[in-house]
Amino acid sequence: NAGVTQTPKFRVLKTGQSMTLLCAQDMNHEYMYWYRQDPGMGLRLIHYSVGEGTTAKGEVPDGYNVSRLKKQNFLLGLESAAPSQTSVYFCASSLLLPSTDTQYFGPGTRLTVL
Amino acid sequence: AQSVTQPDIHITVSEGASLELRCNYSYGATPYLFWYVQSPGQGLQLLLKYFSGDTLVQGIKGFEAEFKRSQSSFNLRKPSVHWSDAAEYFCAVGSRGGNKLTFGTGTQLKVEL
């Protein structure tokens, strides 16, 4: 049972480049989330999904897009990367509402934008 | 809107000493409260959670937390810290029926041997 996996683990981009981060979970969870973690700012929610085919904006959605075409996958896209998007990105999933259920986190993706 | 404050950015304790990490929340109704731990280079793992009932909740790894409504606090405690407890700890608050959690900025715990 792999839980939540993230691909890639590390990435360096140049300003203006695009990329997609992949999150996969094998727990049949309905809810999935993308967070970014920056020093001194904790975790901030970028986008989330309450089920296959649905997405919603979180606290800091600008510059990111997401898709949830399959229940087990949640993709985070950066269309035109900026240095301000240098961060560690975490994906998480939960079976039920996150306010009442445990969120399971992936190991993170460290992204540097030059 | 809900919010969480963790007033201590860094805390250092000696191995075997007791630990208390502070968490204050802001929410109009009864909050759902969580503590997560992040070991270096890892994702977050749930330590414990409070929804209702007994205000003292027990978690994994010997941690406990006490919900105090009058103080809007949910402090995390451990009677005797182990070197392996060195990590970053996050308090989070959620609302009943809510789709998301709000995390605090974290407290980095260092354990001196």
Side-chain angles (χ1 to χ4, degrees), chain A residues 1 23 27 29 43 45 62 74 90 98 103-104 106 111-113:
Chain A
N1 189 341
C23 175
M27 297 174 282
H29 284 175
L43 274 76
L45 183 64
D62 294 342
F74 195 30
F90 286 99
Q103 287 193 44
Y104 293 86
L111 174 66
T112 301
V113 183

Side-chain angles (χ1 to χ4, degrees), chain B residues 1-6 23-28 31 33 72 91-94 101-105:
Chain B
Q2 59 206 39
S3 66
V4 176
T5 301
Q6 293 181 249
C23 172
N24 294 101
Y25 68 89
S26 175
Y27 183 63
L33 295 161
S72 298
C91 183
V93 62
L101 292 183
T102 299
F103 286 84
T105 52

Side-chain angles (χ1 to χ4, degrees), chain A residues 27-62:
Chain A
M27 297 174 282
N28 202 35
H29 284 175
E30 291 293 332
Y31 298 83
M32 296 188 74
Y33 315 86
W34 276 107
Y35 294 93
R36 60 178 290 172
Q37 183 179 31
D38 302 292
M41 304 192 75
L43 274 76
R44 293 181 292 170
L45 183 64
I46 304 171
H47 285 281
Y48 63 100
S49 169
V50 301
E52 181 178 317
T54 74
T55 62
K57 293 181 180 180
E59 181 185 354
V60 288
D62 294 342

Side-chain angles (χ1 to χ4, degrees), chain B residues 74-89:
Chain B
F74 188 58
N75 294 349
L76 182 70
R77 301 194 296 246
K78 187 170 185 178
S80 177
V81 170
H82 188 263
W83 64 266
S84 61
D85 293 325
E88 189 158 21
Y89 292 80

